[in-house]
Amino acid sequence: MAQTLRDQLPASGSGGRGWVPPGTHPDPRPPDEADVVVVGGGVVGWSVAYWLKVLEGWRRRHGMKVLVVERDPMYSRASTVLSAGGIRQQFSLRENIQMSRFSASFLRDINKYLGVPNEPPIDIQFQPSGYLFLASPQNAAALEATVKVQRDEGAQVTLLSPTQLKEKFPWMNTEDVAVASYGLEDEGWFDPWTLLNAFRRKAISLGVQSCSGEVRAFVTSANHMLPSAPPSARIRYAHVYMPDSLEYQPVACAIVVNAAGAWAGKLLEAEGLPRGLCQPPLPIQPRKRYVFTWHCPNGPGLSCPFVIDTSGAYFRRDGSAGNYLGGMSPPKEEEPDASDLSVDHGYFQEQVWPRLARRVPAFESLRVRGSWAGYYDYNTFDQNGVLGPHPRLENLFLAAGFSGHGLQHAPAAGRAVAELVVKGRYETLDLRRLGWDRLVAGEPLQEHGVV
Amino acid sequence: MLKIIIPTTMLLPLTLLSPPKHMWTNITLHSFLIASISLQWLTPTYYPNKGLTPWTSIDQISSPLLVLSCWLLPLMFMASQNHLEQEPTTRKRIFTSTIILAQTSILLAFSASELMLFYIAFEATLIPTLILITRWGSQPERLNAGIYLLFYTLASSLPLLIAILHLQNQIGTLYLPMLKLSHPTLNNSWSGLIASLALLLAFMVKAPLYGLHLWLPKAHVEAPIAGSMLLAALLLKLGGYGIMRITILVNPPSNNLHYPFITLALWGALMTSAICLRQIDLKSLIAYSSVSHMGLVVAATMIQTQWAFSGAMILMISHGLTSSMLFCLANTNYERTHSRILLLTRGLQPLLPLMATWWLLANLTNMALPPTTNLMAELTIVIALFNWSSLTIILTGTAILLTASYTLYMLMMTQRGTLPSHITSIQNSSTREHLLMALHMIPMMLLILKPELISGVPM
């Protein structure tokens, strides 16, 4: 009978909040005001929110009001959860290597950073199998030069000759390989969904608020000024639109962080931002990339690293039962249409499989299990992240455009932006070269290791 | 008295019927006129009460507070102009009407010569304040703040109502001049003790006393600027003023009753000053500093000596002006950056140097720098307390030290330090803001020259 009586009561809301009146919207509404609005609830956005609270110090519970706005609580198109989840230090740009090393040490001690008391410990299922870059004779010198830079920065990378490769990985066909670089430590892959949830759980326990909605418009101080072009403007309100509705909440904010990933460029074209101040436009576009999974019983074993072939195709082991996943970034002329996430299965049959089968003879017989597509937040200018304050909009910070490395750089990028906000300058990693100035001056910082 | 009350009441039709273009000008100008007329209350007189009627009277304790409330009305209007700019005209009119209603109730409360009228006006100030906080505050926490304010004040003032009615029954009158002449005493029994507790508790909550102060940081932080000024400068003084009026009625149980109040007040002054050093929110810091200063006022009024009353009066007036000015300064920051967090609104001196001067002056008066009246008040209170008991000097001395440290902390954090990375160009300080600060500062400077006006001594 007690059960019957209990069933009569309306289902209570989440334990912390207590009773909510029936008929209220289940997702939390955006507040009227927040000190920092982080647009985008992917791993970079939650990382920024987490580090903001951590760097605030002992006052965190009652300090800044940080609001993370995510328009898709199911994360159906977010790059974070559709990522292959790799982390490597094998980049050619020093800042990228430093960011990855920071993230690797962060992930090593993840329970120290993101552990919440009385909650189960976090297991990101890190597979430390390393990355293996294969270089053809034309690219051998460049690879050796980048390995030298990586070693300078402290990454544990070694160069392997074809004979050493054959010895280490007998399943590989080493024709056309002049030299290979193999990461020995802090490289591999992990579960991005766990990392995202860990950041979210810890940030919420530190007092970060989140709401679902889409930021489609801003109100800046330039709206009140005379039409003569102001040199700079402040964002005063961010209009957060409710899902599937025309209702919006103007959130008064002191700082806006653009962590919108693939749509970071589109956010800066939002209504209300003065056109003259948003030049040059942020060159970040969504680029669709396919990932295919297959089963091959006789394939490479547990020692299989994340292999990037001379042709650009890549694959890695997925679990221990003979499953693999991989893909290839298409050349610029053949970019797939990024308006939806449908997969072109012919791409695997025609482009990826032949290359992989040439490199790993065992892959000649395989069974495709599935596939998905995700977006790279592709920086068309120089394929590197843009971090730091906007030159003209005073209180807008950017953390986007990582072109496929967003997940592995998320802890470092989050900490960098948080240091800018709380301390006023970069302290742990000096990432000034990744700022907006290079876009304005037109000087690309090329990264040669974009997979 | 009527020449102030009637024009203040007529400000209501003025705001409701003014053409929108002239509304702010009309209101501010007319309230300035009322403020200048109210200065005549400060003139010396042979009579114990000026303008004595069966309902209102003005004596040396009420006149400074009445002049302060008339002076702050135009300043409240000036401070609210910016954040109300976006609102439709009707809402602006309702806002100003709410403030005017609060103003009439406060004028009645300070000038009431009958305890029942005082009680009614005391309660009546609550409703416009509640409306200001819950309707025009900007965070969702304002609902919580309104509930705290309402229920703390109501719960403590219902016993006051009962005690006043009981007194009316016993003594036959509640007319203050009569009570001063007849000095009614309560029994030294349990019922007398409870009666005096009931009489004092409402004002202790309002003042506020340290243990009953939880409503204050919430209400001050969530209120719009006019609400914060109203609360800090005027409503808190209702508590102090009420204690001063009531103390003639609570002898002799107060001989034992004052101990917990003085202890809590002095300890609270120390504790809240220490809490100020840990605050992140600027308005919350200023709110706790109000609790600290009013703690000294409560302690002084409880020992009931001439010097203590005089010190409490000067402190109430100077704190009213200083605290109101600090809230206005915090509001100028908030209107520009939309954030009250100290971490995000710091290093502003290079960006707004003129406002930095006002920040400096306000903070100097807050930490009782000589020769300001704040110092005269604090010294008088400290000496009076020392005379009552030598050990209090430890508590008051530490409180003054902590006051200076958190005030300097606030000054350094907001004006100097690392430049914020998200504020490179900021809207310049407008003339209205400078005028606002100047009108706060000028009375404080002038009163240094003649503090007898506000010292509550019969002139």
Side-chain angles (χ1 to χ4, degrees):
Chain A
M1 181 164 115
Q3 191 55 42
T4 324
L5 284 177
R6 235 174 278 141
D7 288 341
Q8 302 296 322
L9 291 173
S12 54
S14 60
R17 215 158 304 179
W19 183 77
V20 282
T24 45
H25 201 271
D27 283 322
R29 301 293 208 155
D32 281 326
E33 187 181 274
D35 290 308
V36 182
V37 173
V38 179
V39 180
V43 69
V44 175
W46 279 107
S47 169
V48 170
Y50 160 75
W51 280 111
L52 276 172
K53 278 295 182 182
V54 164
L55 288 179
E56 233 193 328
W58 43 261
R59 325 151 219 230
R60 52 184 86 135
R61 278 230 138 242
H62 303 287
M64 294 196 275
K65 220 163 140 186
V66 181
L67 177 73
V68 175
V69 182
E70 168 57 45
R71 73 173 168 190
D72 179 14
M74 298 295 129
Y75 292 99
S76 55
R77 297 191 295 162
S79 312
T80 304
V81 298
L82 296 167
S83 147
I87 176 168
R88 57 176 162 113
Q89 278 89 49
Q90 296 187 48
F91 290 101
S92 63
L93 193 65
R94 284 185 187 271
E95 279 83 359
N96 283 342
I97 305 172
Q98 288 165 358
M99 282 205 278
S100 286
R101 293 199 70 227
F102 179 90
S103 304
S105 71
F106 181 87
L107 293 176
R108 247 175 216 279
D109 293 323
I110 193 169
N111 274 302
K112 183 175 82 142
Y113 288 107
L114 298 182
V116 176
N118 291 333
E119 294 274 351
I122 303 158
D123 173 22
I124 51 167
Q125 294 156 29
F126 181 57
Q127 305 279 325
S129 298
Y131 268 63
L132 183 70
F133 277 80
L134 303 174
S136 55
Q138 310 95 290
N139 302 334
L143 186 71
E144 287 173 19
T146 48
V147 167
K148 189 163 174 321
V149 172
Q150 290 153 15
R151 284 241 190 87
D152 274 341
E153 288 294 330
Q156 306 279 359
V157 185
T158 179
L159 284 168
L160 298 175
S161 69
T163 29
Q164 289 170 315
L165 260 186
K166 197 74 193 170
E167 216 181 284
K168 222 172 166 45
F169 307 116
W171 40 262
M172 191 182 295
N173 172 9
T174 54
E175 72 167 287
D176 196 39
V177 173
V179 72
S181 68
Y182 182 44
L184 296 168
E185 192 186 59
D186 280 345
E187 291 198 351
W189 56 90
F190 60 91
D191 179 20
W193 187 242
T194 313
L195 183 65
L196 176 65
N197 273 332
F199 266 125
R200 204 159 83 165
R201 191 177 72 174
K202 183 69 176 175
I204 289 181
S205 83
L206 290 175
V208 172
Q209 295 181 349
S210 86
C211 74
S212 58
E214 185 181 352
V215 177
R216 270 188 236 157
F218 293 99
V219 173
T220 62
S221 61
N223 295 12
H224 299 295
M225 292 209 232
L226 298 174
S228 60
S232 63
R234 289 187 73 77
I235 296 180
R236 302 175 71 92
Y237 295 92
H239 288 323
V240 178
Y241 280 75
M242 297 297 116
D244 300 327
S245 155
L246 284 177
E247 272 190 83
Y248 67 88
Q249 167 75 281
V251 178
C253 49
I255 292 178
V256 176
V257 177
N258 181 358
W263 298 275
K266 193 152 123 2
L267 183 72
L268 285 191
E269 289 163 19
E271 205 190 304
L273 291 179
R275 292 287 144 250
L277 295 184
C278 289
Q279 302 303 330
L282 188 60
I284 295 179
Q285 295 166 1
R287 291 278 169 95
K288 186 159 77 169
R289 297 283 178 268
Y290 305 117
V291 178
F292 302 94
T293 63
W294 61 89
H295 174 74
C296 175
N298 300 324
L302 284 178
S303 67
C304 175
F306 202 126
V307 179
I308 292 134
D309 187 32
T310 49
S311 57
Y314 61 85
F315 74 93
R316 71 155 166 93
R317 174 176 61 81
D318 184 27
S320 48
N323 297 317
Y324 303 87
L325 63 82
M328 188 170 86
S329 290
K332 227 177 288 210
E333 313 78 56
E334 295 169 14
E335 280 291 343
D337 173 28
S339 53
D340 64 2
L341 283 175
S342 58
V343 180
D344 175 13
H345 299 282
Y347 188 70
F348 183 71
Q349 301 281 355
E350 286 150 32
Q351 308 283 346
V352 185
W353 193 3
R355 292 176 168 90
L356 289 181
R358 201 171 69 87
R359 189 57 62 199
V360 182
F363 280 162
E364 278 169 17
S365 62
L366 57 77
R367 180 173 58 85
V368 177
R369 285 173 74 229
S371 57
W372 69 84
Y375 291 118
Y376 273 14
D377 51 343
Y378 198 79
N379 181 350
T380 50
F381 186 63
D382 58 7
Q383 290 88 57
N384 267 321
V386 183
L387 275 181
H390 193 286
R392 309 291 215 88
L393 289 171
E394 284 169 16
N395 51 354
L396 177 68
F397 288 87
L398 283 131
F402 296 99
S403 312
H405 331 126
L407 178 65
Q408 55 190 290
H409 288 162
R415 183 158 177 134
V417 173
E419 278 176 356
L420 271 187
V421 171
V422 173
K423 313 233 169 159
R425 57 195 174 84
Y426 291 117
E427 275 184 0
T428 339
L429 297 170
D430 183 7
L431 301 176
R432 277 173 296 176
R433 280 204 307 167
L434 287 177
W436 190 280
D437 299 331
R438 73 186 203 270
L439 297 174
V440 171
E443 295 160 2
L445 264 184
Q446 274 299 342
E447 167 58 54
H448 303 293
V450 178
V451 170
Chain B
M1 190 62 209
L2 269 184
K3 53 180 171 294
I4 303 294
I5 292 265
I6 290 189
T8 312
T9 324
M10 293 312 278
L11 281 177
L12 265 177
L14 180 66
T15 150
L16 293 172
L17 298 173
S18 283
K21 207 163 69 137
H22 297 301
M23 188 185 80
W24 288 115
T25 329
N26 276 339
I27 294 271
T28 320
L29 180 64
H30 284 86
S31 41
F32 263 124
L33 286 175
I34 298 176
S36 50
I37 300 177
S38 73
L39 286 173
Q40 48 109 17
W41 282 328
L42 293 173
T43 54
T45 172
Y46 285 118
Y47 296 103
N49 299 308
K50 278 197 271 274
L52 187 64
T53 71
W55 305 280
T56 61
S57 79
I58 300 170
D59 69 348
Q60 69 271 15
I61 319 184
S62 15
S63 54
L65 290 166
L66 282 166
V67 175
L68 180 68
S69 54
C70 290
W71 182 251
L72 279 177
L73 187 64
L75 300 185
M76 282 194 265
F77 290 137
M78 279 203 294
S80 319
Q81 271 183 314
N82 194 3
H83 77 88
L84 285 180
E85 204 187 307
Q86 319 288 357
E87 309 236 6
T89 322
T90 324
R91 234 174 267 165
K92 283 191 232 186
R93 293 195 211 267
I94 299 181
F95 185 87
T96 41
S97 322
T98 318
I99 300 183
I100 294 166
L101 285 173
Q103 174 75 356
T104 39
S105 318
I106 290 179
L107 286 177
L108 258 184
F110 280 133
S111 60
S113 62
E114 242 223 286
L115 271 185
M116 201 58 201
L117 183 62
F118 175 67
Y119 175 79
I120 295 173
F122 179 77
E123 292 298 298
T125 58
L126 204 50
I127 298 175
T129 316
L130 187 66
I131 296 177
L132 278 179
I133 295 178
T134 49
R135 173 63 185 83
W136 276 282
S138 52
Q139 310 257 35
E141 287 83 6
R142 66 185 188 268
L143 301 173
N144 209 8
I147 290 181
Y148 264 69
L149 170 71
L150 185 69
F151 284 102
Y152 263 72
T153 319
L154 278 183
S156 55
S157 60
L158 277 179
L160 176 65
L161 177 64
I162 308 292
I164 290 182
L165 291 173
H166 172 67
L167 276 179
Q168 158 82 7
N169 258 347
Q170 266 202 329
I171 308 172
T173 177
L174 287 175
Y175 194 45
L176 279 173
M178 285 293 297
L179 294 178
K180 263 191 237 168
L181 291 171
S182 67
H183 275 276
T185 51
L186 293 167
N187 302 325
N188 214 345
S189 60
W190 278 111
S191 62
L193 193 65
I194 303 287
S196 45
L197 198 63
L199 285 170
L200 283 172
L201 213 58
F203 304 114
M204 292 300 171
V205 166
K206 206 69 176 187
L209 184 65
Y210 177 57
L212 305 163
H213 70 290
L214 285 179
W215 63 272
L216 190 140
K218 292 192 204 296
H220 274 81
V221 168
E222 304 304 331
I225 178 60
S228 290
M229 287 166 78
L230 185 70
L231 272 169
L234 298 173
L235 292 184
L236 265 52
K237 316 309 180 258
L238 268 180
Y241 174 75
I243 302 177
M244 285 185 184
R245 289 287 187 216
I246 287 286
T247 45
I248 56 169
L249 294 173
V250 295
N251 293 317
S254 71
N255 288 337
N256 293 324
L257 195 61
H258 63 231
Y259 276 113
F261 287 136
I262 296 181
T263 320
L264 271 176
L266 288 176
W267 185 242
L270 219 160
M271 280 279 99
T272 44
S273 309
I275 290 178
C276 282
L277 286 169
R278 274 185 69 104
Q279 285 300 318
I280 324 116
D281 184 337
L282 186 57
K283 270 179 99 163
S284 188
L285 203 156
I286 305 173
Y288 274 107
S289 91
S290 286
V291 179
S292 174
H293 288 283
M294 292 307 288
L296 282 177
V297 169
V298 170
T301 49
M302 287 314 289
I303 63 174
Q304 295 173 39
T305 63
Q306 303 290 60
W307 270 32
F309 267 35
S310 173
M313 272 310 300
I314 308 181
L315 187 56
M316 284 205 280
I317 301 297
S318 351
H319 172 257
L321 287 168
T322 309
S323 186
S324 172
M325 186 170 177
L326 280 172
F327 274 116
C328 288
L329 287 166
N331 189 51
T332 60
N333 268 355
Y334 174 72
E335 279 171 4
R336 284 169 173 75
T337 56
H338 267 301
S339 169
R340 296 193 299 255
I341 307 291
L342 275 172
L343 270 178
L344 295 176
T345 54
R346 61 179 169 179
L348 290 177
Q349 183 168 358
L351 298 169
L352 294 174
L354 289 179
M355 204 44 85
T357 316
W358 296 119
W359 268 104
L360 178 70
L361 284 174
N363 281 314
L364 290 179
T365 54
N366 193 28
M367 63 175 172
L369 189 78
T372 59
T373 46
N374 303 61
L375 175 77
M376 298 178 205
E378 285 196 16
L379 268 186
T380 319
I381 295 179
V382 169
I383 295 172
L385 281 170
F386 182 66
N387 187 23
W388 176 76
S389 156
S390 315
L391 292 172
T392 55
I393 193 101
I394 305 174
L395 290 170
T396 46
T398 325
I400 292 182
L401 176 67
L402 285 171
T403 305
S405 53
Y406 75 69
T407 313
L408 283 175
Y409 168 68
M410 175 168 46
L411 184 66
M412 290 297 120
M413 272 298 265
T414 52
Q415 303 304 117
R416 324 248 170 151
T418 32
L419 286 176
S421 50
H422 59 97
I423 308 176
T424 43
S425 76
I426 205 170
Q427 191 196 347
N428 238 335
S429 312
S430 56
T431 315
R432 175 188 61 91
E433 290 166 349
H434 284 302
L435 181 63
L436 192 59
M437 307 308 159
L439 287 177
H440 275 106
M441 210 60 209
I442 290 174
M444 276 195 269
M445 296 292 119
L446 289 176
L447 281 172
I448 298 176
L449 300 174
K450 199 173 170 66
E452 302 90 72
L453 290 175
I454 55 171
S455 63
V457 297
M459 293 212 303

Short mmCIF file of all heavy atoms in Angstrom, two decimals, chain B residues 119-146:
data_model
loop_
_atom_site.label_atom_id
_atom_site.label_comp_id
_atom_site.label_asym_id
_atom_site.label_seq_id
_atom_site.Cartn_x
_atom_site.Cartn_y
_atom_site.Cartn_z
N TYR B 119 5.52 52.50 14.48
CA TYR B 119 5.48 51.10 14.09
C TYR B 119 4.86 50.93 12.71
O TYR B 119 5.36 50.19 11.87
CB TYR B 119 4.70 50.28 15.12
CG TYR B 119 4.53 48.86 14.70
CD1 TYR B 119 5.57 47.95 14.84
CD2 TYR B 119 3.34 48.42 14.12
CE1 TYR B 119 5.44 46.66 14.43
CE2 TYR B 119 3.21 47.11 13.70
CZ TYR B 119 4.25 46.24 13.86
OH TYR B 119 4.12 44.95 13.43
N ILE B 120 3.76 51.65 12.48
CA ILE B 120 3.07 51.50 11.19
C ILE B 120 3.98 51.96 10.05
O ILE B 120 4.12 51.29 9.02
CB ILE B 120 1.76 52.31 11.18
CG1 ILE B 120 0.81 51.70 12.21
CG2 ILE B 120 1.13 52.30 9.81
CD1 ILE B 120 -0.44 52.52 12.40
N ALA B 121 4.64 53.09 10.25
CA ALA B 121 5.52 53.57 9.18
C ALA B 121 6.71 52.64 9.00
O ALA B 121 7.17 52.39 7.88
CB ALA B 121 5.99 54.98 9.49
N PHE B 122 7.23 52.10 10.09
CA PHE B 122 8.34 51.15 10.07
C PHE B 122 7.98 49.95 9.22
O PHE B 122 8.77 49.50 8.38
CB PHE B 122 8.61 50.75 11.53
CG PHE B 122 9.71 49.77 11.75
CD1 PHE B 122 11.03 50.14 11.69
CD2 PHE B 122 9.41 48.45 12.06
CE1 PHE B 122 12.05 49.24 11.93
CE2 PHE B 122 10.42 47.55 12.31
CZ PHE B 122 11.74 47.93 12.25
N GLU B 123 6.79 49.42 9.42
CA GLU B 123 6.37 48.28 8.62
C GLU B 123 6.09 48.68 7.19
O GLU B 123 6.30 47.91 6.26
CB GLU B 123 5.11 47.65 9.23
CG GLU B 123 5.34 46.99 10.55
CD GLU B 123 6.31 45.84 10.44
OE1 GLU B 123 6.03 44.87 9.73
OE2 GLU B 123 7.38 45.93 11.07
N ALA B 124 5.56 49.92 7.02
CA ALA B 124 5.17 50.32 5.67
C ALA B 124 6.38 50.46 4.75
O ALA B 124 6.24 50.31 3.54
CB ALA B 124 4.40 51.63 5.72
N THR B 125 7.55 50.73 5.31
CA THR B 125 8.72 50.85 4.43
C THR B 125 9.08 49.53 3.80
O THR B 125 9.78 49.47 2.78
CB THR B 125 9.96 51.33 5.21
OG1 THR B 125 10.22 50.41 6.25
CG2 THR B 125 9.78 52.70 5.75
N LEU B 126 8.59 48.44 4.40
CA LEU B 126 9.01 47.11 3.94
C LEU B 126 8.46 46.81 2.55
O LEU B 126 9.15 46.23 1.72
CB LEU B 126 8.44 46.11 4.93
CG LEU B 126 9.13 44.78 5.05
CD1 LEU B 126 10.58 44.99 5.23
CD2 LEU B 126 8.56 44.06 6.24
N ILE B 127 7.22 47.20 2.32
CA ILE B 127 6.57 46.76 1.08
C ILE B 127 7.21 47.38 -0.17
O ILE B 127 7.55 46.65 -1.11
CB ILE B 127 5.07 47.03 1.14
CG1 ILE B 127 4.49 46.21 2.28
CG2 ILE B 127 4.41 46.68 -0.17
CD1 ILE B 127 3.05 46.46 2.54
N PRO B 128 7.43 48.70 -0.22
CA PRO B 128 8.10 49.21 -1.43
C PRO B 128 9.50 48.63 -1.61
O PRO B 128 9.93 48.38 -2.73
CB PRO B 128 8.16 50.73 -1.20
CG PRO B 128 7.14 51.01 -0.17
CD PRO B 128 7.04 49.82 0.68
N THR B 129 10.19 48.38 -0.49
CA THR B 129 11.53 47.80 -0.61
C THR B 129 11.46 46.41 -1.21
O THR B 129 12.25 46.04 -2.09
CB THR B 129 12.20 47.71 0.77
OG1 THR B 129 11.99 48.92 1.47
CG2 THR B 129 13.68 47.45 0.63
N LEU B 130 10.49 45.62 -0.74
CA LEU B 130 10.32 44.28 -1.28
C LEU B 130 10.03 44.34 -2.77
O LEU B 130 10.58 43.57 -3.56
CB LEU B 130 9.18 43.59 -0.53
CG LEU B 130 9.00 42.12 -0.85
CD1 LEU B 130 10.19 41.35 -0.36
CD2 LEU B 130 7.73 41.61 -0.22
N ILE B 131 9.17 45.28 -3.17
CA ILE B 131 8.83 45.40 -4.59
C ILE B 131 10.08 45.75 -5.39
O ILE B 131 10.35 45.19 -6.45
CB ILE B 131 7.75 46.48 -4.79
CG1 ILE B 131 6.47 46.05 -4.11
CG2 ILE B 131 7.51 46.72 -6.26
CD1 ILE B 131 5.37 47.07 -4.20
N LEU B 132 10.88 46.67 -4.85
CA LEU B 132 12.09 47.06 -5.58
C LEU B 132 13.02 45.87 -5.77
O LEU B 132 13.55 45.66 -6.86
CB LEU B 132 12.84 48.15 -4.81
CG LEU B 132 12.36 49.57 -4.97
CD1 LEU B 132 13.21 50.47 -4.12
CD2 LEU B 132 12.45 49.99 -6.41
N ILE B 133 13.22 45.10 -4.71
CA ILE B 133 14.18 44.00 -4.80
C ILE B 133 13.68 42.91 -5.73
O ILE B 133 14.38 42.45 -6.62
CB ILE B 133 14.47 43.41 -3.41
CG1 ILE B 133 15.15 44.43 -2.54
CG2 ILE B 133 15.35 42.19 -3.53
CD1 ILE B 133 15.41 43.93 -1.16
N THR B 134 12.42 42.47 -5.53
CA THR B 134 11.99 41.30 -6.29
C THR B 134 11.63 41.65 -7.72
O THR B 134 11.74 40.80 -8.60
CB THR B 134 10.79 40.62 -5.63
OG1 THR B 134 9.82 41.62 -5.35
CG2 THR B 134 11.18 39.96 -4.34
N ARG B 135 11.24 42.88 -8.00
CA ARG B 135 10.86 43.17 -9.38
C ARG B 135 12.04 43.66 -10.20
O ARG B 135 12.19 43.30 -11.36
CB ARG B 135 9.73 44.22 -9.38
CG ARG B 135 9.35 44.75 -10.73
CD ARG B 135 8.82 43.67 -11.60
NE ARG B 135 8.55 44.14 -12.94
CZ ARG B 135 9.45 44.25 -13.90
NH1 ARG B 135 10.70 43.91 -13.68
NH2 ARG B 135 9.12 44.69 -15.08
N TRP B 136 12.90 44.49 -9.63
CA TRP B 136 13.94 45.10 -10.43
C TRP B 136 15.32 44.57 -10.15
O TRP B 136 16.28 45.08 -10.66
CB TRP B 136 13.93 46.62 -10.24
CG TRP B 136 12.94 47.26 -11.16
CD1 TRP B 136 13.09 47.51 -12.48
CD2 TRP B 136 11.62 47.71 -10.80
NE1 TRP B 136 11.96 48.09 -12.98
CE2 TRP B 136 11.05 48.23 -11.98
CE3 TRP B 136 10.88 47.72 -9.63
CZ2 TRP B 136 9.76 48.76 -12.00
CZ3 TRP B 136 9.63 48.24 -9.66
CH2 TRP B 136 9.06 48.75 -10.83
N GLY B 137 15.47 43.59 -9.31
CA GLY B 137 16.77 42.96 -9.16
C GLY B 137 17.10 42.17 -10.41
O GLY B 137 16.24 41.97 -11.27
N SER B 138 18.32 41.72 -10.54
CA SER B 138 18.68 41.12 -11.82
C SER B 138 19.04 39.65 -11.76
O SER B 138 19.30 39.06 -12.78
CB SER B 138 19.83 41.89 -12.44
OG SER B 138 20.85 41.99 -11.50
N GLN B 139 19.08 39.03 -10.61
CA GLN B 139 19.45 37.62 -10.57
C GLN B 139 18.26 36.82 -10.05
O GLN B 139 17.44 37.35 -9.34
CB GLN B 139 20.60 37.42 -9.59
CG GLN B 139 21.75 38.35 -9.80
CD GLN B 139 22.87 37.66 -10.49
OE1 GLN B 139 22.63 36.81 -11.33
NE2 GLN B 139 24.06 38.01 -10.13
N PRO B 140 18.22 35.53 -10.36
CA PRO B 140 17.12 34.73 -9.81
C PRO B 140 17.17 34.64 -8.29
O PRO B 140 16.16 34.32 -7.67
CB PRO B 140 17.33 33.34 -10.42
CG PRO B 140 18.30 33.50 -11.49
CD PRO B 140 19.05 34.77 -11.28
N GLU B 141 18.33 34.94 -7.69
CA GLU B 141 18.40 34.83 -6.23
C GLU B 141 17.61 35.93 -5.55
O GLU B 141 17.48 35.91 -4.32
CB GLU B 141 19.86 34.95 -5.75
CG GLU B 141 20.72 33.74 -6.03
CD GLU B 141 21.27 33.74 -7.42
OE1 GLU B 141 21.05 34.76 -8.12
OE2 GLU B 141 21.89 32.78 -7.83
N ARG B 142 17.08 36.90 -6.34
CA ARG B 142 16.41 38.00 -5.66
C ARG B 142 15.13 37.55 -4.97
O ARG B 142 14.71 38.18 -4.00
CB ARG B 142 16.11 39.11 -6.66
CG ARG B 142 15.10 38.72 -7.71
CD ARG B 142 14.96 39.84 -8.69
NE ARG B 142 13.88 39.62 -9.62
CZ ARG B 142 14.01 39.03 -10.78
NH1 ARG B 142 15.18 38.59 -11.15
NH2 ARG B 142 12.98 38.89 -11.58
N LEU B 143 14.53 36.46 -5.45
CA LEU B 143 13.32 35.98 -4.79
C LEU B 143 13.65 35.51 -3.39
O LEU B 143 12.97 35.81 -2.41
CB LEU B 143 12.70 34.85 -5.60
CG LEU B 143 12.33 35.25 -7.01
CD1 LEU B 143 11.89 34.04 -7.79
CD2 LEU B 143 11.24 36.30 -6.99
N ASN B 144 14.76 34.77 -3.29
CA ASN B 144 15.23 34.32 -1.99
C ASN B 144 15.55 35.51 -1.10
O ASN B 144 15.20 35.51 0.10
CB ASN B 144 16.51 33.51 -2.22
CG ASN B 144 16.70 32.46 -1.18
OD1 ASN B 144 15.81 32.23 -0.38
ND2 ASN B 144 17.85 31.85 -1.17
N ALA B 145 16.17 36.53 -1.68
CA ALA B 145 16.53 37.71 -0.90
C ALA B 145 15.28 38.40 -0.37
O ALA B 145 15.22 38.82 0.80
CB ALA B 145 17.32 38.69 -1.76
N GLY B 146 14.25 38.49 -1.22
CA GLY B 146 13.02 39.13 -0.78
C GLY B 146 12.37 38.37 0.37
O GLY B 146 11.87 38.96 1.33
#
